[in-house]
């Protein structure tokens, strides 16, 4: 899950998807990062933490980090919160950028619409609730989609 600061949107996305995967019995490794380095080492924004906790999800342990080219080797799927984030990922990853692994998160909910999750950085608490609701619905779709694929996969060869 990638946004600009790794402080507002992507920490929520990491927490929400990790929570839903756990509830579904999926042992996914979910992580998040930001394309700018302004908040490296910081915990998520207090309003992201507050809104997540209101939904029973504790994201206080998360620590902001910068997106890196090696993330394309480490992860199967990379969701960006917005189109400007994809541009920055491309700049950071260079030749390692793998378009097949990247999509906008909201395309899981509204395929082909290329909607951004709005940046709540200059907003107030209701903006964080709106962001939570959008990410929550998109993550439901992800779990639904990939759980079926996982269950179809034979356990052993
Ligand atoms: P995020 O929000 O990308 O959802 O973490 C932002 C946080 C900080 C800044 C920009 C966006 N910033 O420019 O400091």
């Amino acid at each position: 899950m990638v946004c600009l600061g790794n402080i507002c949107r992507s920490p929520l996305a990491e927490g929400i998807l990790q929570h839903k995967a756990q509830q579904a019995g999926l042992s996914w490794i979910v992580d998040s990062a930001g394309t700018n380095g302004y908040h490296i080492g910081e915990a998520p924004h207090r309003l992201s933490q507050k809104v997540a906790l209101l939904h029973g999800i504790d994201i206080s342990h998360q620590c902001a980090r910068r997106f890196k080219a090696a993330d394309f080797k480490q992860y199967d799927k990379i969701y960006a919160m917005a189109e400007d984030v994809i541009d920055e990922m491309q700049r950071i990853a260079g030749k390692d950028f793998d378009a097949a692994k990247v999509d906008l998160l909201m395309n899981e909910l509204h395929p082909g619409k290329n909607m951004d999750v709005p940046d709540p950085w200059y907003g107030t608490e209701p903006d964080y609730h709106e962001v939570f609701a959008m990410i929550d619905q998109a993550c439901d779709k992800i779990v639904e989609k990939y759980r079926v694929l996982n269950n179809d996969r034979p356990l052993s060869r």
Side-chain angles (χ1 to χ4, degrees):
M1 298 298 193
V2 187
C3 64
L4 296 175
N6 194 206
I7 209 90
C8 302
R9 292 166 292 179
S10 61
L12 276 174
E14 177 187 333
I16 291 168
L17 187 61
Q18 185 74 72
H19 183 74
K20 289 183 188 297
Q22 259 162 15
Q23 282 185 325
L26 299 162
S27 52
W28 290 353
I29 295 170
V30 184
D31 196 6
S32 65
T35 54
N36 73 39
Y38 301 151
H39 299 278
I40 289 171
E42 292 179 24
H45 190 284
R46 66 173 183 87
L47 288 173
S48 288
Q49 290 197 42
K50 178 179 176 180
V51 170
L53 210 49
L54 286 171
H55 292 270
I57 302 172
D58 182 0
I59 61 169
S60 62
H61 62 280
Q62 291 185 31
C63 178
R65 73 166 177 94
R66 187 133 195 248
F67 178 77
K68 55 186 189 298
D71 286 322
F72 275 102
K73 292 199 169 46
Q74 195 162 349
Y75 293 99
D76 299 316
K77 188 79 201 170
I78 301 180
Y79 289 107
M81 299 300 121
E83 288 199 280
D84 58 346
V85 173
I86 296 183
D87 295 340
E88 282 301 295
M89 285 164 59
Q90 221 157 354
R91 202 178 56 76
I92 292 167
K95 62 175 176 33
D96 292 324
F97 185 84
D98 183 351
K101 288 189 174 181
V102 178
D103 203 355
L104 288 171
L105 178 65
M106 291 311 292
N107 276 343
E108 290 290 355
L109 189 61
H110 303 295
K113 292 268 195 295
N114 294 335
M115 283 171 61
D116 289 353
V117 177
D119 183 352
W121 176 244
Y122 293 107
T124 56
E125 187 168 332
D127 300 301
Y128 286 78
H129 284 282
E130 184 196 347
V131 163
F132 185 98
M134 292 176 78
I135 294 173
D136 189 59
Q137 290 176 65
C139 288
D140 277 337
K141 290 285 182 189
I142 293 170
V143 170
E144 209 175 284
K145 180 170 154 183
Y146 290 104
R147 177 164 52 185
V148 170
L149 293 177
N150 270 27
N151 288 346
D152 283 349
R153 195 177 294 158
L155 291 174
S156 59
R157 284 176 190 274

